[in-house]
Amino acid sequence: MSEVAADVSRCSWAGADPLYRHYHDSEWGRPVADDTRLFEKICLEGFQSGLSWITVLRKRERFREVFFGFDIPRVAMMGDADIDRLLQDAGIIRHRGKIVSTINNASRALEVKKEFGSLATYFWRFEPRPEDRPVLVTRDVVHAMPQTEASKAMSKDLRKRGFTFVGPTTCYAFMQAMGLVNDHFEDCFCRAEVETQRAAFTRPGT
């Protein structure tokens, strides 16, 4: 996707940071069916817990390096020596619980893939029905909606399967980013683009 003019109307959270704007313009909200990207995102949303997304975004490339491109089988094989190594790596967020969670979640993701065929098929089961979505998506509406019934259901099911750092707010941020919902504001130039992409998107498992 080519760079977009700085003065177009965007969701206000994109701010002025070029990295954040590029993420908003080219990634956020666009439907994803790739298991590696879905796994990466659910893990990085866990790392974001208590922090801002821009903090994680600035470290994302290093996260990809140390977690082997978020290759699920490879991450599942990581052990104590890897955890100790990562706790010394200033390029990532050095939180033992979140590092351990990523490795654990890789093993749980393999179980989900075995059951459903793909992570994408599993996650897209939680896409909310159109009638359960707001009529208008505005800044105030989105800010008042940090979690939803769909994200609560996803969180509950993930936890039942042994995933960690997957609370309902984390799950909703994941749903927003991976295109399970379109939460670009009504006046954002991306909203119509994302709606078109979602309309043309073939839901995994259908």
Side-chain angles (χ1 to χ4, degrees), residues 25-47:
D25 294 355
S26 62
E27 291 188 50
W28 194 81
R30 299 174 189 273
V32 174
D34 179 79
D35 280 4
T36 301
R37 286 191 59 196
L38 291 165
F39 176 66
E40 174 188 278
K41 186 59 176 173
I42 199 69
C43 292
L44 292 184
E45 288 293 350
F47 273 101

Side-chain angles (χ1 to χ4, degrees), residues 129-199:
R129 299 174 302 176
E131 58 266 33
D132 293 331
R133 294 286 297 150
V135 175
L136 293 175
V137 177
T138 64
R139 179 183 181 279
D140 290 343
V141 167
V142 172
H143 281 210
M145 193 171 56
Q147 53 185 252
T148 65
E149 291 306 312
S151 77
K152 291 175 186 176
M154 179 188 289
S155 173
K156 182 178 180 180
D157 196 73
L158 285 168
R159 286 168 163 172
K160 182 178 70 175
R161 295 172 182 278
F163 285 78
T164 51
F165 281 92
V166 285
T169 299
T170 293
C171 285
Y172 192 57
F174 168 84
M175 294 172 74
Q176 291 173 308
M178 297 288 96
L180 278 75
V181 298
N182 182 3
D183 271 354
H184 282 283
F185 303 161
E186 297 293 334
D187 60 350
C188 175
F189 84 93
C190 288
R191 181 162 185 82
E193 291 183 2
V194 170
E195 280 297 289
T196 298
Q197 289 183 8
R198 280 177 43 80

